[in-house]
Amino acid sequence: MTQPWTTPSTTAPATKLLFLSRPPSFAPRATVTLGKMNHNEEQDHLDALFKQKRALRSRVRKALKAMDPALRSQEDNDIQSIVLKSPWFQSSTGLCAYISCNALREVDTSKLLSEILQNPAKDGHTQVGKRLYVPRVEDKKSHMRMLNISCIDDLVANSMDILEPAPVDGDGNEREDVMQANEPVDLFLLPGLAFDRSGRRLGRGGGYYDTFLKKYQELAKANAWKQPFLVALSYSLQIMDEGIISVTPNDILVDALVSPTGVIPISQAALER
């Protein structure tokens, strides 16, 4: 089942560190290419990378399953507190965020989403209000949409017992799809299985987020919008050493990580914020 939805405390616990030092290495905000290889060499290389990814996913899943529940709860609270206090969250007016799933052992987002939904945007223009879009998986071919919601009751459990927005509201009207919205979103809060300090993100293998992020980045470019700030939420044990996470051409790098001890800036956009 998903995490219970609670109203965030008005006195969030102090965090240890809100902004960590410059990471040891940087990766440009772009996908990674394979260079000059013939077709067979490229396929062999990709097969090896996918094999490495599968092995790493297995190890991280086992580590998450063995994670002490009390530690996990503390890290959930610390991460959400850091996000809530961050200038890039507070200044955002439109954002896409995942609905955390307890069974998948994702970093909890319930307090973040409750905070957003308590202060909805009005006509898309407000200093504190935010337009919120959350994911809905459409099929098994990496097709995912981000639909606008205004309250927790807009969510329904799918066949995997994961909360998603219903495609239509209570009045039978289609929910706004972020890809058809007139205004851009400025922030994505992303899940994942593993991350490193150069922005590499290991997903669960479906390719849903990488596919969606690429499409949205192309939309932003076509409309001359500022590219959204990509932030991944990570437990301590999910942060890997450099070189552990393999990257394929379709993988999208993140701008920053939020760990229980602070924000890890990666891209130039993160350093400027």
Side-chain angles (χ1 to χ4, degrees):
M1 289 294 294
T2 54
Q3 293 277 18
W5 291 90
T6 58
T7 300
S9 170
T10 55
T11 56
T15 54
K16 301 174 185 177
L17 181 64
L18 289 182
F19 197 77
L20 300 185
S21 60
R22 185 184 180 98
S25 65
F26 285 77
R29 181 174 174 168
T31 54
V32 177
T33 58
L34 295 176
K36 294 183 179 179
M37 294 184 182
N38 64 42
H39 178 73
N40 290 335
E41 290 174 334
E42 182 176 314
Q43 190 58 53
D44 288 346
H45 183 67
L46 286 173
D47 289 344
L49 294 182
F50 287 131
K51 183 177 181 180
Q52 292 171 9
K53 286 190 172 191
R54 288 193 295 270
L56 181 56
R57 287 190 185 101
S58 179
R59 293 199 299 272
V60 176
R61 285 193 181 102
K62 289 179 181 178
L64 286 170
K65 187 175 182 180
M67 189 176 183
D68 179 76
L71 175 61
R72 182 180 166 199
S73 178
Q74 181 61 55
E75 293 201 358
D76 280 332
N77 289 332
D78 289 345
I79 291 168
Q80 291 181 97
S81 178
I82 291 168
V83 173
L84 288 170
K85 294 177 180 179
S86 68
W88 39 262
F89 175 82
Q90 293 179 358
S91 65
S92 66
T93 57
L95 71 158
C96 294
Y98 70 96
I99 308 294
S100 56
C101 177
N102 189 48
L104 295 178
R105 294 174 172 82
E106 294 172 324
V107 173
D108 186 24
T109 56
S110 61
K111 293 181 181 179
L112 298 176
L113 302 185
S114 292
E115 175 70 18
I116 295 166
L117 294 173
Q118 286 175 8
N119 298 285
K122 297 178 182 178
D123 300 324
H125 297 282
T126 173
Q127 289 185 335
V128 295
K130 304 179 192 299
R131 291 170 290 109
L132 174 63
Y133 302 85
V134 295
R136 176 180 175 83
V137 172
E138 297 295 323
D139 54 39
K140 295 182 179 180
K141 298 180 180 180
S142 303
H143 181 207
M144 179 178 75
R145 292 195 293 161
M146 288 279 184
L147 304 181
N148 178 248
I149 64 169
S150 57
C151 67
I152 297 302
D153 292 339
D154 291 342
L155 303 174
V156 294
N158 64 14
S159 60
M160 300 293 291
D161 209 22
I162 298 173
L163 290 178
E164 294 183 325
V168 296
D169 62 23
D171 297 324
N173 300 314
E174 288 191 6
R175 297 192 185 282
E176 183 182 52
D177 187 320
V178 74
M179 296 296 291
Q180 275 78 54
N182 293 325
E183 297 183 30
V185 295
D186 39 32
L187 175 64
F188 275 78
L189 297 179
L190 305 170
L193 273 175
F195 314 91
D196 71 15
R197 293 170 183 259
S198 62
R200 297 183 177 194
R201 170 187 167 273
L202 179 72
R204 295 181 180 274
Y208 290 95
Y209 274 93
D210 287 319
T211 300
F212 184 86
L213 289 171
K214 183 177 181 180
K215 290 180 179 178
Y216 194 83
Q217 288 177 340
E218 291 172 349
L219 176 68
K221 183 178 180 180
N223 286 289
W225 292 339
K226 185 176 181 179
Q227 289 292 336
F229 192 52
L230 308 182
V231 179
L233 309 186
S234 175
Y235 292 122
S236 298
L237 65 82
Q238 293 178 290
I239 299 178
M240 306 286 112
D241 291 334
E242 297 294 323
I244 296 296
I245 300 176
S246 302
V247 177
T248 55
N250 292 327
D251 292 337
I252 302 294
L253 305 178
V254 302
D255 291 304
L257 299 178
V258 179
S259 78
T261 53
V263 178
I264 301 173
I266 296 165
S267 71
Q268 187 62 37
L271 292 172
E272 292 171 354
R273 293 170 186 243

